[in-house]
């Protein structure tokens, strides 16, 4: 009876995409459900998967919103 | 001081609706708050309820996105 | 396909209990599942309910841990 | 390796704003990350912060949706 | 920068185990992190995975605590 | 009406402690509640804070349980 919640930033990671694609979501759902079956024998029909896409400005790391964090990480000088 | 999070798929379940209606949300909020008062004596003003509506393609069950899962459950032959 | 998470402080609210009793948990599970069926037609076998009991010192309100918050609310003078 | 999730109602709290502003979000992210460093020594680059804005009708307190709860709290007669 | 939360019931699913084993947890962590890298290119060091084990009496399905739900599903007559 | 959930690994970060101390928890609760008041004007009595301590083996990063991840990061050769 597993419940899995996957949170990712809302942005494109596939060619031409500006958000997670339906195909990527389906792959995550299948992959996680397979994993729980293989590792723990959990039947797939008892596994719920919920994907949340979070706006970049709503996700922080390193004390900064994600976009600003990445800008500084890329280290472009003034 | 309860906190309750209710996640449902974003789709209509009332006549003519394409999402959870404000009336349904109000009924969920009232019902859950009443329940916590009746079962555990929790005062209603200390109970927070947060409802999340999740897009169908973001919710998986049986290793599939919800729409595809339902299509296969309905068992329409080739 | 609803998923409901109920968080309450770990403390007794039934006579002689020092935590939520199994009977109270069963009543919450049944009550929430019934509510989602009645308000939105959600079949009970597709509703997951997860109850979390949170230690009093891990729950804050009013800027204070719960026990301290209650002490000040009860307003016993010095 | 902390993970912090902040949920607030989606509404303006800064002059002229109808939602949490990017500046407020950045301040929350920085403030929480600083707090975890100062209180527990957690390095900022290992702290994730996710902010969720919740529609007013999806947030309940006192057994009512937020807007209705506030209306009654403000106590305007007939 | 994904965050993944996996909730399972606390019970043994490996021979002789009464809870999820450290090896199973490590396999879940690795599997989910690999999946997010393969499907979305997310670097593994930016993926947090948190596993929650939930007591059987705290997990409900079909309007019943899990143990009672399973007992009825197994359908043993009077 | 904010709700804040803080998840940290269960381990000592204060001298002699093997877990988050009550004082640290109180400091997190106060700090987060102050922050939401200062940044967004949220009244402290309407802010709930829930702290979860997560066992090291239940938290993964870099595709590994935390302890193993740290061991490799510290880079001690064979």
């Amino acid at each position: 009876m597993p419940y899995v919640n996957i949170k990712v930033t809302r942005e494109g990671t596939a060619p031409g995409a500006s958000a997670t694609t339906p195909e990527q979501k389906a792959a995550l759902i299948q992959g996680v459900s397979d994993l729980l079956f293989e590792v723990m024998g959990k039947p797939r029909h008892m596994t719920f998967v919920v994907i949340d896409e979070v706006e970049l400005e709503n996700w922080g790391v390193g004390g900064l919103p994600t976009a600003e964090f990445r800008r500084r990480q890329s280290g472009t000088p003034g």
Side-chain angles (χ1 to χ4, degrees), chain A residues 9-11 54-60 64-68 70:
Chain A
T9 41
R10 193 191 307 273
E11 61 188 311
V54 178
E55 299 297 330
L56 275 176
E57 71 179 32
N58 287 8
W59 196 303
L64 299 165
T66 300
E68 178 66 15
R70 288 178 180 165

Side-chain angles (χ1 to χ4, degrees), chain A residues 18-36:
Chain A
S18 62
T20 310
T21 66
E23 290 74 23
Q24 289 178 318
K25 292 174 184 174
L28 291 178
I29 289 167
Q30 185 185 334
V32 166
S33 304
D34 285 354
L35 183 69
L36 281 155

Side-chain angles (χ1 to χ4, degrees), chain A residues 41-74:
Chain A
K42 300 289 183 184
R44 291 177 181 81
H45 73 275
M46 290 304 269
T47 294
F48 283 3
V49 183
V50 172
I51 299 169
D52 290 321
E53 291 186 278
V54 178
E55 299 297 330
L56 275 176
E57 71 179 32
N58 287 8
W59 196 303
V61 59
L64 299 165
T66 300
E68 178 66 15
F69 175 76
R70 288 178 180 165
R71 203 172 297 126
R72 299 197 188 179
Q73 288 290 97
S74 68

